[in-house]
Amino acid sequence: MPVSIGWVLAQPELAVRLRGGAAGVDREIDLVVTTELERPYPWLSGGELVLTTGMRLPPDAQGRTAYVRGLAECGVSALGFGVGLTHAEVPPDLIAAADEIGIPLIEVPLSTAFAAIVKRVSARSAELQYDAVLRASHAQPRMTRALIKSGAHAIVRELAASLSATVVVLDPAGLVIDCVPAELDPALLSRVRGAVAGGTASGVRTETSGSSVTHQRIAVGRSHYGDLVVVTATPLGHVDQILLGHANSLLALDFEKPARLRAAQHRLNNHALGLLLGADTDPDPAWEQLADAADAHGRIRVLLAACDTDAAAAAVRTALEDVILAAGDPLFLHAASREVLAVLAADTAIPREFPRGAGDSGIDAHDGGSVEPLPARAADAPSRGRSTIGFPIALRKQVRLGVSAPHAVRELADAVAGARLAASAAERGGAAMEFSAFSGSSLLAFESTREVLGAMARTALTPLVEHDLLHGTDLLGSLRAFLEANGQWESAAVVTGVHRHTLRKRIATAGELLGCDLDNARVRAELLLAILARG
C-alpha cells in the first residue's frame, strides 16, 4: 500500500526534512530504492522514493536539473539526498531544480541509515495493507447483510462509506437508478456517463485532477442491468477493487432476483390452478423447491413443535418464521392442528435447551421472557451469528419439540413421522428431543406404556424386592445386570462386582422366586422393561 511523503517527514526517529519541491509533497510512495547510478531511469517504474548520497551527481546545475527531471519523468515520487558523505549539504542548485520541477527533495542526515527508511516505509506499507484487508473483511459481510435486510440501496451506501467515494448505479440507458450522495452535480454526472459511454464491461478513467472514475457492468449471463460507477479522489487500490467487485456481484443478484421470483411464481400459480380444478398435478416441482432446504448432501431434518394451545402454536410459528428468515435460510413451514413443523438442512445444529433471557420477540426478561437459539448450520454458524426464538414461559411450557434424523428430501413423510414421535416423548418447555437419542427408550417415553409396565413391575418384581429387604441381598440389581448384559455371565459379573458362580446362584434364586424361566428371551425382555419402568 502507498505511504505518503508527509508520513515519512513526520517520523521523528528518521530526522529527515523537506528541502525542496513542496508542490509535490502530497504524493505517495510505493517503494524505497537506493542508487548511485548516473542514469538510474531504466530501473525505475514510478512511485519510488529514490535515496542517494550524490556520489555520481552531475557537477553542474544544468546536469543536476536534468537528473531531477529524468527522475520526475519516470514517475518517481520523491528524492532522498543523504548528506555528510559525498556532500556536506544538499546542493542549492539541486534544491532549485526540485522546486522548479515539483518533485519533493528530502534531506537525510548522516545519522539516519538508508536501511532505516526502507524498513520504516515497508512496515508502514504492511500496516496499511493489513488495515485495508481488515476493512474489506468487515465491509463484505456488511454489504451482504445490507442486501438481505434493505436491498440494493443499502449496498450502494455501504460501498460509498467503505471507499469514501461517490457511487452511482446507471441503468442500460444511462439513467440514474441509485446514487450516494443523493444529489449529483451535473458536471460529475456527465463525467460518469462519459466513462461508461464506450460500452466496455469495465474500465478506469484517471482525470487531470488525479481523481478516478471506475465502472463495472452489472450483468448475469447475457442480461445487462446497468453499470456500477465509483468516483474517488485517487485510483482504487487492490482491496478497494475487491470490494467493488463484491458489491457488483450482490447488485447483479438483486437485479436477477425479480426474474427468478416471477418464474417461480408462475409455476406456483399453475399448480394452484390445477389443484383448484381437481387436476392431477406433477409433484416434481414441489420436490425441487423443497431441495433448497437441504444441505450439501441433499439431506433434511424436520423440527416439529407439538403445542397444547392455539396461542402457543401461533407464538412458535411466528418465532420460527422470524429466526429462519433472519438467518437467510429458505422458509419451509407448515402449521396445522396445533403442530408447527419446519424443514431444515440436515447439518443444522438444534438447540439443546431454552436459555433464560429476553428474546427477539420483544418479551422483557423481567416479564418471564425466554429464548431459544436459532438452529444454525454447524459449518458456518460463527460467521452468521445466532438469532433467537423468543416467547413467554407460560407458552413455552405448552410446547414439546422433536427433531427427526437426517433424511433425503423425498423421505419427508418419514422425517415428519420421526419428529412427531420424538416430540410426543419430549418434556414440555424442555430441550428438543432428537429422534436418534430417542432410540432404545421409546416404549418408556409414553405415559400409558409406563403405567402398564409400572403395574407389571409392582406385581412381578415384588418377590425379589421383599427378599432383598428381608435378607439384605441384591437379587434385583443382579437380575438387572444379567438382563442388560443379554445373559452374558462374565459381563454381568463385572458390573455387579462378584464372581460369575456367585452371580449364577443369585439368578437361579431370582428365577425360583419369580417362578419363571429366565432362559426364555421373551421373559427376560418383559422383566427388563419392568425393572426399567420401576427405576
Side-chain angles (χ1 to χ4, degrees), residues 414-484:
D414 293 337
V416 173
R420 183 176 290 121
L421 183 60
S424 67
E427 180 184 354
R428 286 178 172 82
M433 173 69 76
E434 294 268 3
F435 183 80
S436 56
F438 186 57
S439 300
S441 60
S442 55
L443 285 175
L444 296 175
F446 300 100
E447 185 176 352
S448 58
T449 307
R450 288 198 303 271
E451 290 178 358
V452 173
L453 292 174
M456 176 182 169
R458 289 189 295 274
T459 303
L461 301 178
T462 298
L464 294 187
V465 175
E466 291 179 349
H467 185 279
D468 286 343
L469 289 174
L470 182 61
H471 300 284
T473 57
D474 188 21
L475 295 181
L476 184 61
S478 299
L479 178 61
R480 176 170 182 168
F482 172 72
L483 295 174
E484 289 185 334

Side-chain angles (χ1 to χ4, degrees), residues 194-348:
V196 302
T200 57
S202 63
V204 180
R205 174 185 290 182
T206 302
E207 303 182 343
T208 55
S209 62
S211 64
S212 176
V213 181
T214 306
H215 73 91
Q216 288 186 359
R217 177 174 296 171
I218 304 171
V220 177
R222 295 183 178 179
S223 300
H224 174 208
Y225 297 109
D227 293 272
L228 174 61
V229 187
V230 172
V231 183
T232 50
T234 57
L236 296 179
H238 176 65
V239 174
D240 295 332
Q241 292 174 8
I242 292 175
L243 287 178
L244 175 60
H246 184 66
N248 183 287
S249 299
L250 292 175
L251 287 172
L253 289 174
D254 193 63
F255 279 116
E256 180 73 4
K257 182 170 60 177
R260 290 187 287 108
L261 288 177
R262 283 194 298 270
Q265 186 65 56
H266 293 160
R267 291 196 301 270
L268 290 175
N269 292 345
N270 294 339
H271 279 273
L273 180 59
L275 290 173
L276 292 173
L277 295 175
D280 291 332
T281 57
D282 180 10
D284 282 345
W287 289 119
E288 293 173 7
Q289 193 86 356
L290 185 60
D292 290 343
D295 63 10
H297 303 289
R299 297 173 70 78
I300 58 169
R301 289 205 290 175
V302 170
L303 171 64
L304 186 142
C307 308
D308 295 340
T309 64
D310 293 336
V316 171
R317 176 172 183 166
T318 300
L320 281 174
E321 286 180 351
D322 291 345
V323 80
I324 293 174
L325 291 175
D329 290 332
L331 180 65
F332 289 93
L333 198 67
H334 179 72
S337 301
R338 296 182 180 176
E339 273 190 355
V340 182
L341 67 87
V343 179
L344 309 170
D347 59 358
T348 297

Side-chain angles (χ1 to χ4, degrees), residues 11 126 138 189 236 271 273 311 344 346 354 356 378 463 495 497 523 529:
Q11 304 309 300
H138 291 162
L189 181 56
L236 296 179
H271 279 273
L273 180 59
L344 309 170
F354 287 92
R356 304 289 174 176
V495 173
V523 172
L529 287 173

Side-chain angles (χ1 to χ4, degrees), residues 10-41:
Q11 304 309 300
E13 68 272 22
L14 297 181
V16 298
R17 61 174 179 152
L18 183 68
R19 294 302 308 276
V25 77
D26 58 345
R27 297 179 180 180
E28 292 183 324
I29 303 164
D30 293 319
L31 183 67
V32 180
V33 297
T34 61
T35 180
E36 301 298 341
L37 296 174
E38 294 180 19
R39 297 178 58 81
Y41 319 125

